[in-house]
Amino acid sequence: MILATQLGFPISTTHGLTSALVGAGLVAIGTQVNFAALQKSFLLPLLLSPVLAIPLAMLVFCCSFSPA
């Protein structure tokens, strides 16, 4: 993260922390990581949250600015 910041790359601390945790897990137990469980409990919600948030935000925006 320090190198990316010094080079001017945009970086999210959430992504940095997530990558660090996954990297530490791989170092600690190697290839014994249960990627199927990780996909279901972490990756799927991470990918679906923007897909669900965008239509919800559009709905809230349209409802709050509709003429009465």
Side-chain angles (χ1 to χ4, degrees), residues 14-62:
T14 303
H15 289 103
L17 181 60
T18 302
S19 299
L21 289 171
V22 170
L26 286 172
V27 169
I29 59 175
T31 59
Q32 297 173 350
V33 176
N34 187 351
F35 285 105
L38 185 62
Q39 179 182 358
K40 182 184 277 187
S41 66
F42 178 75
L43 188 60
L44 188 61
L46 183 69
L47 295 176
L48 283 180
S49 58
V51 173
L52 297 175
I54 290 170
L56 181 62
M58 289 173 58
L59 179 68
V60 169
F61 180 80
C62 290

